[in-house]
Amino acid sequence: MTKLDNLIDWFGTKKKVMIALSGGVDSALVAYAAFQKLGTSAVAVTADYKTLSKEELETAKQICSEIGIRQILLDYDELQNEEFVKNSSDRCFHCRLELGDHLVNLAKQHGVESIVDGTNLDDLGEYRPGIEALKSNGIRSPLVETNFTKNEIRITAKLVGLSVYDKPSNSCLASRIPWGQRVTNEKLTRIELGETFVKQITNVRQVRVRDLNGIAKIEVEKDEISLLQGDALEEITKKLILIGFQSVKVDPDGYRPGKINVIAD
């Protein structure tokens, strides 16, 4: 029996399941497995909480279309949560705690007994306070319970034909703002627009535009830094200043998750 079989069989004892589905490959594989076992008794829920980029939201819709699973959009505003907005080192805990509360309420409305997410084994080795917050709401992680690593998830997702199998990992837009600097709608908007501009101008696959008190620090993979030079950088700089950044710089060390904070998030 393959790991995919184990993941699909994990849902065998469940009657109705709700999958917290972002635009990433992890929750996509969970949704695929749940739908294979449960059909219409599995439903995907994507939270549009105003710090998820429009690109991620559209990708989540595409994933559900590929799988054939029903999708519910959960709409609320994290910027109404002061514990989240003040952006301390446990920001992700408050984000996921609020998400968990919304998921639990939604599950009750739809008669769903189990809520699951896309946490995998590799996530457990990182600083992710949000995982504990979700656990506190009884949300389970089938990929952890069936021992899936990130690499195995990508291989399996490719095998079953999910288009996001090689999609770069992403995180909420608030992760581009250093701890201690408040999260605002203005910052989120210019971060999202900034990353869109960088992708459009350079065609890089992975980009972060960090907002350091109004200074845009651009991070891309090391082998793509050369794309951020000359005319391209000049055009990017003009556009980013136009949308509210004071100045622009490129990180010579390249992209690494959670780089702007002492502990990776």
Side-chain angles (χ1 to χ4, degrees):
M1 182 178 284
T2 67
K3 276 199 167 184
L4 176 59
D5 292 328
N6 288 336
L7 181 61
I8 292 171
D9 284 349
W10 188 91
F11 293 96
T13 59
K14 311 292 185 293
K15 291 180 181 177
K16 293 182 86 172
V17 169
M18 184 176 285
I19 305 100
L21 185 137
S22 62
V25 63
D26 305 329
S27 56
L29 185 61
V30 174
Y32 172 87
F35 187 71
Q36 292 303 304
K37 194 69 176 182
L38 300 174
T40 56
S41 292
V43 60
V45 177
T46 301
D48 181 6
Y49 36 56
K50 307 302 175 266
T51 62
L52 185 73
S53 70
K54 292 181 178 64
E55 181 183 356
E56 289 292 291
L57 191 58
E58 289 307 311
T59 303
K61 292 177 182 178
Q62 177 187 330
I63 290 167
C64 292
S65 178
E66 288 177 8
I67 295 169
I69 193 170
R70 179 187 170 208
Q71 182 184 35
I72 297 174
L73 293 179
L74 186 57
D75 190 9
Y76 63 96
D77 188 354
E78 279 189 310
L79 298 182
Q80 300 299 314
N81 182 343
E82 176 58 27
E83 289 300 323
F84 175 84
V85 167
K86 71 182 184 183
N87 197 20
S88 59
S89 61
D90 61 353
R91 180 197 67 234
C92 292
F93 178 85
H94 297 292
C95 164
R96 288 307 185 241
L97 192 64
E98 183 175 16
L99 172 62
D101 289 341
H102 283 290
L103 289 171
V104 168
N105 289 333
L106 191 64
K108 288 176 182 175
Q109 294 172 27
H110 291 268
V112 172
E113 60 176 24
S114 300
I115 308 171
V116 299
D117 73 355
T119 302
N120 65 68
L121 284 180
D122 291 348
D123 294 331
L124 303 183
E126 301 175 3
Y127 176 65
R128 290 180 179 253
I131 292 175
E132 292 305 313
L134 289 172
K135 276 185 181 178
S136 70
N137 266 308
I139 295 167
R140 294 176 65 180
S141 305
L143 294 173
V144 171
E145 295 184 31
T146 54
N147 298 308
F148 266 88
T149 64
K150 187 74 174 190
N151 188 53
E152 289 170 330
I153 291 166
R154 292 196 184 281
I155 291 170
T156 307
K158 183 178 182 180
L159 182 70
V160 301
L162 292 174
S163 63
V164 291
Y165 75 91
D166 64 344
K167 181 178 180 289
S169 296
N170 206 349
S171 52
C172 87
L173 295 170
S175 68
R176 281 66 152 167
I177 303 169
W179 292 335
Q181 297 179 21
R182 288 179 70 83
V183 178
T184 67
N185 187 60
E186 179 188 5
K187 290 178 184 178
L188 297 174
T189 299
R190 71 188 180 201
I191 288 168
E192 182 172 9
L193 275 172
E195 293 185 355
T196 298
F197 288 146
V198 174
K199 287 179 181 177
Q200 287 175 343
I201 294 167
T202 65
N203 288 320
V204 295
R205 294 189 74 239
Q206 179 82 287
V207 62
R208 296 288 186 271
V209 173
R210 310 290 189 187
D211 192 328
L212 311 181
N213 274 326
I215 298 170
K217 186 181 75 167
I218 303 173
E219 294 177 17
V220 297
E221 298 290 354
K222 268 199 166 184
D223 60 357
E224 294 186 317
I225 291 176
S226 61
L227 298 173
L228 297 174
Q229 295 177 355
D231 291 344
L233 181 56
E234 186 177 339
E235 185 179 355
I236 289 168
T237 300
K238 285 179 181 177
K239 286 184 178 292
L240 266 58
I241 289 176
L242 192 63
I243 61 174
F245 285 104
Q246 299 164 20
S247 62
V248 178
K249 61 181 180 179
V250 177
D251 190 325
D253 297 323
Y255 164 73
R256 181 170 61 80
K259 197 171 184 178
I260 54 174
N261 295 313
V262 177
I263 305 172
D265 64 7

